[in-house]
Each structure stands twice: as C-alpha cells, then as structure tokens.
Amino acid sequence: MSHSSLPPLPSSDRPEAAARLREALLGASFTVDGMLDLLGAPAYAALARSETVPALRATRGDTPLETLVRLFLLQQPVPHARVADVLPVAGCLDSGWLTAVGGDEVAATVDVRPYGGTDGEDWFIVSDLGCAVGGAGGIGSRDEGVVLGVGGASTTLAGITVRTPVASALDLGTGSGIQALHAAQHATRVTATDLNPRALEMTALTLALSGAPRADLREGSLFEPVGEETYDLIVSNPPFVISPGARLTYRDGGMGGDDLCRTLVQQAGERLNDGGYAQFLANWQHVEGEDWQDRLRSWVPRGCDAWIVQREVQDVTQYAELWLRDAGDHRNDPAEYQARYDAWLDEFEARKVRAVGFGWITLRKAAAAQPSITVEEWPHSVEQPLGDAVRTHFERVDYLRAHDDAALLAGHFKLVAEVVQEQVGLPGAEDPEHVVLRQHRGMRRATKVDTVGAGFAGVCDGTLSAGRILDAIAQLVGEDPVLLRDRTPAQIRLLVEQGFIEPTG
C-alpha cells in the first residue's frame, strides 16, 4: 500500500473543530481514568495486548463513554443518532474526524486514544486506525506510511526526558507527536520534524485535540529540516530498527546497520545550545571482536558529556523474530517469512553482528576540558519518570569533576531518601560477607560497600564533613585516620556518582 492510498486525515487547519471535539470527549469522561473505570483492569490490560473482546463486552450499553470507546478505540461503526447524543456530528463529519458508513452509521477516521500527561493532564494521541498500542486492527497490517500511536518506547523516552523550562525544543521524527506534546508544556518554542508528511499532519491533530500550542512542523530526514538552528532540548524516538532495507518507514532506519542512530547522535552536538540536552532511544550492534561500550563511546560528539544505558540485549535470531512479528510477517506465506528471516540473518552475518542492544542515550552540551562519558548496562527495573534522575546525574558529574580528593573530604553530604542497607552473610557470623546499599527510587541501583563505606553513608546527614566522619570511624575501628582518608575518597566518589549520597553545599 502506498502513502497516497491511506485514508485521508481530519483537517489539521480546523482548530475550532478539534476544540469542540475535545470538549465533548472530556464531557463524556473519555479519559484514561474514565476508560479504566468503564472497562475494568482486565479488559483495559487486554486492550494493550490487541485483544478487543473484553472491551467490546464492556461497552454493550449506550452511555456516552461506551459510545466513544467503541467509536475511537475499538473502531466500530456506531449509529448516527447514538453518536449525535455525544459529539457534534455535523462538525466532525465536515472536518473529517468521522465518516458516514452504511445507511445510518458513522465511523472514526483515526484512532483517538486518551493519554495521561506527566502532571495528570488529559491529552489525546491521534494515530492511524489499528496502529495504536492495542489498536483494534492489531499489529499485523501496517503499511510503510502509517503513523503509530503511543508505545512502550514513546512513554520510555517521555519519562527519561529532562523537563526543565527551556526556550526551544526539537522533536526529531515526531510520529504522532507524543514527544512534541510533552515538550510544549515546558518549552517556549517546539519544532517537530518527520520524513513522513502524514506524521506531521497527525502531530498537528494530536496537539490540537490535546489543547496544546501549535508546533513548527517541518518535513525531512534527520537534522536536514532545521539546518544550523540550535536547541536547548532535542528528543528523538527514531526508526532505530536494524534491518535489511527500509521497508517500514515508521521503524526501519534505512541506513546500514546502526548508522542512523550513530549519525543522529554524532550530529546532535552541534545543534545543542550550551547546557542543552539531547535524548534518544537507540539500537546498536554488538560486533564480533569489538567492545560494544567502546563502539558507543565513539558516537559521542565533541563537547558533550554522555550517559548511555543499555537496557536490553537480544541475539540476532531473537531480534529478527521480534521485528518480523511486529510487521505481521509470521502471518503471511511461510516461504516468504523464511526468505525474509534469511535476509535478516544474512545481513547480520555480513556485518559480524552477534547481538543487538537497546537503550537510552543522553547528551549534555558542556564546556569541560575532560568530558564525562558513562556507558553502562542496567537491565533492572527503574522508577519512571526519570527526568529528574537524568538531570541530577549530570549535576553530580559537574560536582565530582570540580572536586579533587581534598575538596571531597572537606565536603558535606547527606544520604539520599529511601536508601536501605542489606547485609549478606552466614547466620550467626560476627561480620557480614558483604554489605549492599540499595535505592528504592529512580534507577533503583544497588552497590556493594565495605563496612567503612556503609558506616560513612549511614551517618551522612550534612552536619559533619566527610573527613571528620572518617576520623570518627577510624577511631571506632582502630585504624590509622590518615590511611583511611587516603583510601576512602574513591568509595565516596562512587556513592556520589551513583546517587546514594548528595552534597549539601
């Protein structure tokens, strides 16, 4: 199916029609909370798995909310008279949000899905029919030009994005406009780009229906649409899938291997204002004979600090199967599926790729002589949103970069909230084999410390300097205080770096 054969979209130049539709949707409690109350947790969860039967059963009545769920989420034709009790039907038909079908029914032309903002806002994400998460059409019939709705990648990126007020933000590869919608809440000016013109239209609809300011929408690939312009925040959930060719615009990068993600990261540095952040989701290759962490360090542009977190790794067979199923290829001719599977493995074999990593990349434009580049693997659960945790990571980088060991010992620290200590050892043993400090917020890190490190962290309340605390510990354990001061700063740096303690002044 070509782009031109996709159904027409509602008019993005009719803000008054979108405003009236938004008012009607909110009036009927067509919100995240309203849907959960109506459908119940099991049916709501089933919808996210593309299983619509429980939701269909839960919407057999004729209340306004049931009508809207069947119309926009389940994409069922609904009698005209029933919809007229809920929506301004004439205006919705005229502006293209609805279309007449059959003799006396109307149907939605797009998927409209309630979406909760970070501060509880009632927003709506507009996408192509059957292409939202749990869309009524499932996941097996996507053509190259469709625009997807909210997915796990979208919400992950939204959650890790630093949300400080900024003058300018760029959403590169905007899709249905989720990141632009978030950015509009804390950026004076939002620019959104996409290679797919249909995605730009969809972003305009998402912003209008959510009551957000318009964005500057530009068509084109990577940074080409913005030229030499610079921004305080750049976010991108790009088409990062590493595949042979670029069959599906919404997911396939169209460059060899992980070159699209590498190019995006490398070119972001010169588009950032001082102190600005660029945040991406990405895939990267694990190549035979190469350290994957070194590969990612080589992507970081000059003049930027970086924090790169690998969240998941799949071997090439798992990876190929995941994305072949995403496109619904497993439902087609078995011989065609096998040929495509072979093509993916041929591509990986030619590049000596053994696995593919997925994760987050954050850059911060900095003027430091020695940039900080942290590349780590953290597959464990985290607590979203993480935007504040990302911001404070770089604040800690600045602190540690500016303080040598002597300054560190003169500093005052306090234990971060909700850190607990775990001791592991044989029952009845006088001393534990090891001590673990564990966070229950943010990244939820855990780190081993010795008894001195545990004791130090436990008494950090900001009143005494680090050196004074170590002197007291030395007296308690009968150790030379000078030697203790010499060997402990590295452990203090680790505790600061990983966010277990924080400087108080």
Side-chain angles (χ1 to χ4, degrees):
M1 184 185 290
S2 67
H3 288 214
S4 60
S5 66
L6 290 167
L9 295 175
S11 172
S12 57
D13 295 325
R14 296 283 299 275
E16 75 290 345
R20 285 196 294 269
L21 177 55
R22 172 177 172 79
E23 182 179 358
L25 296 177
L26 294 176
S29 297
F30 188 64
T31 63
V32 172
D33 290 341
M35 283 204 317
L36 187 57
D37 288 343
L38 171 67
L39 301 178
Y44 190 75
L47 197 60
R49 302 190 300 270
S50 299
E51 296 292 348
T52 58
V53 172
L56 286 167
R57 292 174 60 86
T59 56
R60 289 179 292 193
D62 57 2
T63 66
L65 182 55
E66 287 170 292
T67 297
L68 294 177
V69 171
R70 290 183 74 87
L71 187 66
F72 286 117
L73 264 68
L74 303 176
Q75 285 130 40
Q76 301 292 308
V78 179
H80 185 289
R82 184 173 165 189
V83 178
D85 291 337
V86 188
L87 300 178
V89 174
C92 288
L93 288 168
D94 182 53
S95 56
W97 290 95
L98 299 177
T99 185
V101 295
D104 61 349
E105 292 183 318
V106 296
T109 59
V110 288
D111 184 295
V112 175
R113 193 146 303 233
Y115 176 68
T118 51
D119 293 320
E121 301 93 342
D122 288 319
W123 293 336
F124 300 97
I125 306 300
V126 185
S127 62
D128 273 309
L129 296 174
C131 292
V133 170
I139 63 172
S141 58
R142 297 176 182 169
D143 95 287
E144 63 178 25
V146 297
V147 180
L148 272 59
V150 181
S154 305
T155 55
T156 294
L157 180 59
I160 68 172
T161 300
V162 177
R163 297 295 175 195
T164 52
V166 294
S168 58
L170 170 64
D171 175 14
L172 193 151
T174 186
S176 55
I178 298 129
Q179 310 308 326
L181 178 58
H182 279 281
Q185 312 310 306
H186 64 102
T188 304
R189 175 174 60 90
V190 176
T191 301
T193 70
D194 206 288
L195 184 62
N196 182 359
R198 187 175 180 86
L200 298 177
E201 294 181 65
M202 210 71 83
T203 293
L205 296 172
T206 288
L207 295 173
L209 196 57
S210 298
R214 292 188 177 191
D216 178 6
L217 304 176
R218 305 186 193 182
E219 182 181 344
S221 177
L222 297 175
F223 289 101
E224 180 272 329
V226 301
E228 301 302 315
E229 295 177 40
T230 58
Y231 298 87
D232 301 311
L233 174 67
I234 299 172
V235 291
S236 184
N237 176 19
F240 52 68
V241 175
I242 300 170
S243 62
R247 185 162 59 104
L248 299 174
T249 305
Y250 68 85
R251 70 166 206 195
D252 297 329
M255 295 185 182
D258 53 15
D259 282 355
L260 182 134
C261 291
R262 176 186 55 79
T263 301
L264 183 61
V265 173
Q266 289 181 335
Q267 293 182 356
E270 59 191 18
R271 268 75 176 197
L272 279 177
N273 294 326
D274 289 343
Y277 290 91
Q279 299 187 259
F280 315 101
L281 301 185
N283 275 174
W284 44 79
Q285 298 173 148
H286 285 230
V287 179
E288 183 180 344
E290 178 184 77
D291 187 314
W292 68 270
Q293 293 182 325
D294 289 342
R295 182 182 190 84
L296 289 172
R297 287 188 186 95
S298 73
W299 291 10
V300 178
R302 192 182 296 268
C304 288
D305 294 327
W307 184 21
I308 302 173
V309 182
Q310 180 167 273
R311 296 287 291 157
E312 184 179 0
V313 182
Q314 290 183 309
D315 68 50
V316 292
T317 60
Q318 292 173 313
Y319 188 80
E321 290 163 14
L322 169 67
W323 293 110
L324 288 169
R325 288 178 175 274
D326 171 82
D329 291 329
H330 63 300
R331 299 178 181 177
N332 299 327
D333 176 57
E336 183 179 353
Y337 172 76
Q338 182 175 343
R340 284 186 168 159
Y341 200 153
D342 266 334
W344 282 65
L345 296 185
D346 285 344
E347 179 81 3
F348 287 132
E349 185 175 337
R351 295 179 177 275
K352 298 183 178 180
V353 176
R354 296 294 175 259
V356 177
F358 166 80
W360 319 326
I361 298 177
T362 299
L363 307 176
R364 185 190 59 163
K365 193 68 171 286
Q370 292 292 329
S372 168
I373 301 177
T374 301
V375 183
E376 62 176 316
E377 186 164 19
W378 189 253
H380 311 293
S381 65
V382 298
E383 182 191 47
Q384 287 275 34
L386 276 168
D388 283 345
V390 173
R391 176 182 52 80
T392 56
H393 166 87
F394 288 97
E395 289 175 353
R396 294 192 298 269
V397 164
D398 288 341
Y399 177 87
L400 292 172
R401 193 156 45 197
H403 290 73
D404 60 16
D405 286 356
L408 205 65
L409 292 173
H412 293 241
F413 303 91
K414 67 177 180 180
L415 187 68
V416 171
E418 297 193 44
V419 172
V420 299
Q421 176 179 307
E422 300 172 357
Q423 297 186 175
V424 179
L426 294 173
E430 184 176 343
D431 295 314
E433 292 178 19
H434 61 260
V435 179
V436 174
L437 299 182
R438 189 179 301 277
Q439 301 167 351
H440 284 274
R441 304 297 300 272
M443 290 292 287
R444 294 177 174 164
R445 294 189 184 277
T447 189
K448 286 184 182 181
V449 292
D450 59 21
T451 53
V452 171
F456 177 85
V459 298
C460 278
D461 61 5
T463 58
L464 295 176
S465 69
R468 291 280 303 277
I469 293 174
L470 290 179
D471 290 343
I473 291 175
Q475 188 173 6
L476 284 173
V477 300
E479 188 168 340
D480 185 329
V482 175
L483 294 178
L484 192 61
R485 279 175 174 252
D486 283 345
R487 70 176 176 85
T488 307
Q491 195 165 190
I492 296 175
R493 283 187 182 277
L494 179 66
L495 293 174
V496 173
E497 180 185 343
Q498 295 194 350
F500 288 93
I501 60 176
E502 59 187 9
T504 59

